[in-house]
């Protein structure tokens, strides 16, 4: 049977309350009594119950992390950053993958509430605020990542998606491309919308007419990139370059191009977004926009801990990371015709 605090008290010849004060570092206990309690606990191999200690402190030392798609390599990088920071602070992370399903997202958030987690890092399936509103109503601290809910009471960590898209498309324009298509991500997310805005802004500043037919919306998956790529490459005139909403979409577009008998980058230049590990491994390496996912996860956890411990209160804070264009082998200069 597990050793209890009563066993320690009996061996040390003191009351349970005295053992509790010694083990939790609260209240005054004579040095000789403290030493006797610690020796008794060590001799019996007593391990304090994390749950019991949490009930006393009204904290569970656990947090929730809600993400939309664990198969997207961007989100495991965020998870790694969150878990690194959580582990250093003595916290356990409950991971919930919603599969981009709003109903499953609501279910997972409810389960985390029932587990009485101390806070939640939330990457929503869409920009809907219902789940976050429920958490705030319960007094549960929340940090939103990779989404913009426009909620004044919530801390937010994200990258400047518009600027990243702008840099990607400027790169293609500087290489001489004028027929640039956009294999877009999920239209219901601010992430997808901001990257589309950056694409459109780059065209406009270069004097290139925006063509709605050159934009096809899908979602942030490889399969979507493949389907969207087939659509875009089947149109006339065919684009000479594609800016993809993320790296998985870009890899799907490249597959569609190869099946159509096109060479990347000789016939088609492709730029992604995220800089997942696979982007540097494939050949040719994928030109992409890097966002520091692991660092973003660490910062989100640090901000959440500040809310949990009461070090920070008041209006929500907003931290925007700056993206970086990483040029690899899927883009090249467009040779003039004729």
């Amino acid at each position: 049977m597990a050793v209890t605090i009563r066993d320690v008290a009996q061996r040390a010849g003191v009351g349970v309350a005295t053992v509790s004060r010694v083990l939790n570092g609260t209240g005054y206990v004579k040095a000789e009594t403290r030493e006797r309690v610690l020796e008794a606990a060590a001799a019996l191999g007593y391990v304090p119950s994390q749950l019991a200690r949490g009930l006393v402190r009204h904290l569970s030392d656990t947090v929730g992390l809600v993400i939309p798609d664990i198969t997207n390599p961007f989100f495991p990088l965020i998870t790694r950053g969150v878990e690194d920071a959580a582990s250093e602070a003595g916290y356990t992370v409950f991971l919930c993958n919603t599969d981009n399903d709003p109903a499953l997202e609501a279910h997972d958030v409810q389960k985390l509430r029932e587990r009485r987690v101390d806070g939640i890092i939330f990457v929503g399936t869409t920009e809907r605020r219902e789940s976050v509103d429920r958490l705030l109503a319960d007094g549960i601290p929340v940090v939103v990542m990779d989404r913009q809910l426009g909620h004044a009471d919530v801390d937010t960590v994200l990258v400047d998606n518009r600027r990243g898209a702008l840099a990607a498309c400027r790169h293609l324009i500087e290489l001489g491309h004028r027929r640039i298509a956009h294999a877009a991500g999920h239209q219901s997310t601010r992430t997808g919308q901001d990257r589309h805005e950056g694409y459109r802004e780059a065209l406009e500043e270069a004097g290139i007419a925006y063509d709605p037919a050159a934009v096809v919306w899908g979602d942030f998956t490889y399969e979507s990139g493949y389907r969207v790529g087939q659509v875009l490459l089947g149109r006339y005139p065919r684009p000479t370059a594609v800016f993809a909403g993320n790296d998985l979409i870009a890899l799907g577009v490249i597959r569609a191009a190869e099946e159509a008998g096109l060479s990347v980058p000789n016939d088609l230049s492709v730029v992604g977004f995220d800089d997942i590990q696979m982007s540097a491994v494939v050949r040719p390496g994928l030109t992409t926009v890097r966002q520091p996912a692991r660092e973003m996860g660490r910062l989100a956890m640090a901000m959440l801990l500040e809310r949990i411990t009461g070090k920070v209160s008041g209006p929500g804070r907003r931290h925007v990371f700056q993206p970086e264009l990483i040029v690899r082998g899927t883009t090249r200069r467009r040779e003039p015709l004729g």
Side-chain angles (χ1 to χ4, degrees):
M1 294 179 64
V3 177
T4 69
I5 193 171
R6 293 184 180 279
D7 297 324
V8 176
Q10 184 176 3
R11 185 180 181 96
V14 299
V16 170
T18 300
V19 175
S20 178
R21 286 197 298 272
V22 171
L23 297 180
N24 290 313
T26 59
Y28 173 75
V29 179
K30 291 181 180 180
E32 58 191 49
T33 303
R34 181 183 303 277
E35 187 66 24
R36 197 161 70 248
V37 169
L38 293 175
E39 288 178 355
L44 293 173
Y46 174 70
V47 179
S49 168
Q50 187 74 6
L51 177 59
R53 291 175 64 183
L55 290 173
V56 172
R57 296 163 49 238
H58 303 288
L59 293 172
S60 65
D61 290 341
T62 62
V63 297
L65 173 59
V66 179
I67 60 174
D69 184 7
I70 193 64
T71 65
N72 182 335
F74 172 71
F75 292 112
L77 290 174
I78 282 182
T79 302
R80 179 66 182 275
V82 170
E83 290 192 327
D84 286 348
S87 178
E88 292 168 7
Y91 278 72
T92 299
V93 179
F94 290 123
L95 175 64
C96 297
N97 173 57
T98 66
D99 281 332
N100 285 299
D101 182 346
L104 182 56
E105 177 184 286
H107 175 269
D108 286 344
V109 167
Q110 177 60 27
K111 287 298 182 183
L112 291 173
R113 292 166 68 202
E114 292 172 0
R115 284 183 175 271
R116 300 188 180 277
V117 295
D118 298 332
I120 292 178
I121 296 172
F122 182 82
V123 186
T125 298
T126 66
E127 305 294 319
R128 296 171 59 186
R129 294 169 35 168
E130 288 86 345
S131 292
V132 171
D133 287 340
R134 283 195 293 271
L135 294 170
L136 294 176
D138 287 345
I140 299 174
V142 181
V143 174
V144 173
M145 290 193 67
D146 200 42
R147 300 289 185 264
Q148 297 186 63
L149 301 186
H151 208 306
D153 297 328
V154 177
D155 293 330
T156 304
V157 176
L158 68 162
V159 75
D160 192 333
N161 288 293
R162 185 198 60 80
R163 179 173 290 187
L166 188 60
C169 295
R170 281 174 175 169
H171 170 65
L172 293 171
I173 292 168
E174 289 168 359
L175 291 176
H177 293 277
R178 293 295 180 269
R179 294 200 302 274
I180 304 171
H182 181 31
H186 208 299
Q187 195 169 11
S188 67
T189 65
R190 189 67 203 177
T191 299
Q193 294 168 15
D194 284 349
R195 293 176 189 177
H196 174 256
E197 288 178 9
Y199 159 80
R200 185 165 188 165
E201 183 177 338
L203 297 184
E204 291 175 351
E205 72 176 17
I208 301 172
Y210 173 79
D211 181 5
V215 178
V216 178
W217 292 89
D219 56 44
F220 291 108
T221 64
Y222 173 84
E223 293 77 14
S224 176
Y226 174 65
R227 293 191 299 269
V228 169
Q230 288 179 313
V231 173
L232 290 173
L233 298 177
R235 290 180 174 169
Y236 183 84
R238 177 172 54 81
T240 65
V242 174
F243 166 56
N246 72 354
D247 288 350
L248 291 180
I249 296 173
L251 295 173
V253 169
I254 291 172
R255 176 190 166 197
E258 291 172 346
E259 289 188 359
L262 301 175
S263 170
V264 175
N266 295 328
D267 300 316
L268 182 73
S269 286
V270 179
V271 182
F273 203 115
D274 285 344
D275 194 31
I276 60 176
Q277 187 176 27
M278 195 184 309
S279 301
V281 174
V282 295
R283 290 293 178 269
L286 179 65
T287 296
T288 185
V289 177
R290 175 180 294 162
Q291 56 175 327
R294 190 168 176 177
E295 291 85 347
M296 292 167 67
R298 287 189 68 94
L299 178 62
M301 184 63 204
M303 294 173 72
L304 186 63
L305 285 172
E306 289 176 337
R307 293 289 184 180
I308 291 170
T309 59
K311 291 182 180 179
V312 172
S313 60
R317 298 164 294 171
R318 174 184 172 93
H319 187 96
V320 181
F321 283 85
Q322 294 306 312
E324 178 186 3
L325 178 67
I326 306 297
V327 179
R328 297 195 179 102
T330 56
T331 52
R332 62 163 294 177
R333 179 163 295 281
R334 175 69 174 170
E335 300 299 333
L337 299 176

